[in-house]
Amino acid sequence: MATGRTHRPATRSRGIPEATVARLPLYLRALTALSERSVPTVSSEELAAAAGVNSAKLRKDFSYLGSYGTRGVGYDVEYLVYQISRELGLTQDWPIVMVGIGNLGAALANYGGFASRGFRVAALIDADPSMVGKPVAGIPVQFIDDLERIIEDNGVSIGVIATPAGAAQQVCDRLVAAGVTSILNFAPTVLSVPDGVDVRKVDLSIELQILAFHEQRKAGDEAGAVLPDAAAVRAAAAAASAAAPATAAPTAVDAGEDAGTAAAAGTGAGTGTGAGTGAGRKGPDGDVPAVMPA
């Protein structure tokens, strides 16, 4: 089997858009599930639904691969699995090194999905001398001083960074200098790399902050949806009062009772207005959600 440095995927030279490349793993995951259930063919609508895209986009994406399916039959599942795997470079062995074997790094090392998708963890590397030699997922941790030799010995072109933010750029620089040209970055920082080096960033805290933003928006929309109903009730009450027929001049007792009633009504109206104002009041940070920096 070929190793990572003998071949690079041809997606760029063939002009496949980056957005399409990003969706290919989604199609492959759905197709693999179908293959495991021995499903021979699948329609574009069924596959699009399983991948979470619309069928027109799926057909456009597959046209870049030269796969158009058969009218009335659909796509051959096994052939598409092979075709997409080949395009993504998954028909060969990709050795990777993982740097930073803390809690996150150890969890990643124990993830079984790497091997099944063509990625072999060639080495686990850490800067803590007390970690050296300890097995994680059956692989002994090696010291950071040996990084360059490990990359050279294993023909590694893909590196995974799971270090603290402060150490990530230095690790990145060493990986690139040693010949790594693709990096998956889990550190909560932006890496600077030269042309020709690809970086994919995974930041769980940022994803949670985005979800918190949408939750805050949904809560605000629900609160705002109540306000027009209350305003409509008050407007209707005012219109009914204005349309009421004129009556005889009230006696002193009647006037006193009316004044008391009006005062009570005024208090009620004030309470209603206050509630409306409270519902629409902005927080100390205005409309912008307060998020912690990554």
Side-chain angles (χ1 to χ4, degrees):
M1 179 178 283
T3 59
R5 292 194 178 180
T6 60
H7 170 72
R8 301 287 289 181
T11 54
R12 290 179 178 173
S13 62
R14 290 178 55 174
I16 299 179
E18 287 294 327
T20 296
V21 174
R23 287 189 290 269
L24 291 181
L26 303 179
Y27 302 141
L28 182 58
R29 182 173 60 189
L31 287 163
T32 301
L34 292 171
S35 176
E36 290 172 351
R37 289 168 18 218
S38 300
V39 176
T41 60
V42 63
S43 69
S44 60
E45 290 77 12
E46 292 170 330
L47 183 54
V53 302
N54 65 65
S55 58
K57 183 174 293 184
L58 177 143
R59 288 190 293 269
K60 179 66 173 177
D61 289 343
F62 284 179
S63 72
Y64 291 111
L65 307 181
S67 183
Y68 296 92
T70 303
R71 183 177 296 276
V73 176
Y75 295 93
D76 182 283
V77 170
E78 292 299 330
Y79 179 67
L80 264 185
V81 168
Y82 165 74
Q83 199 173 23
I84 295 176
S85 296
R86 181 189 62 188
E87 199 64 47
L88 290 174
L90 303 182
T91 55
Q92 58 185 300
D93 176 48
W94 291 101
I96 64 175
V97 295
M98 191 174 300
V99 184
I101 315 302
N103 292 333
L104 177 57
L108 292 171
N110 279 283
Y111 174 56
F114 288 135
S116 65
R117 289 165 175 79
F119 300 97
R120 174 175 57 85
V121 179
L124 303 177
I125 301 171
D126 201 273
D128 183 358
S130 67
M131 287 289 296
V132 175
K134 291 184 178 180
V136 176
I139 304 172
V141 176
Q142 302 185 61
F143 195 47
I144 188 70
D145 284 358
D146 298 324
L147 177 63
E148 289 77 11
R149 177 188 58 78
I150 293 168
I151 291 173
E152 179 64 28
D153 290 349
N154 291 277
V156 173
S157 59
I158 300 177
V160 179
I161 296 177
T163 67
Q169 185 61 58
Q170 182 180 8
V171 169
C172 173
D173 292 342
R174 289 184 63 181
L175 287 172
V176 172
V180 168
T181 52
S182 293
I183 294 173
L184 181 60
N185 177 34
F186 284 89
T189 188
V190 176
L191 298 177
S192 176
V193 297
D195 291 341
V197 176
D198 295 310
V199 176
R200 299 289 294 181
K201 179 173 173 56
V202 180
D203 193 320
L204 303 181
S205 66
I206 286 180
E207 299 303 322
L208 287 172
Q209 289 172 41
I210 293 171
L211 290 176
F213 168 79
H214 289 298
E215 284 300 310
Q216 180 173 263
R217 273 293 175 89
K218 285 185 283 188
D221 290 344
E222 291 171 0
V226 176
L227 294 180
D229 295 337
V233 170
R234 291 196 296 272
S241 176
T247 59
T251 64
V253 175
D254 292 335
E257 291 176 349
D258 290 344
T261 302
T267 303
T271 303
T273 304
T277 304
R281 187 182 302 125
K282 295 183 180 179
D285 296 311
D287 291 332
V288 180
V291 296
M292 294 296 292

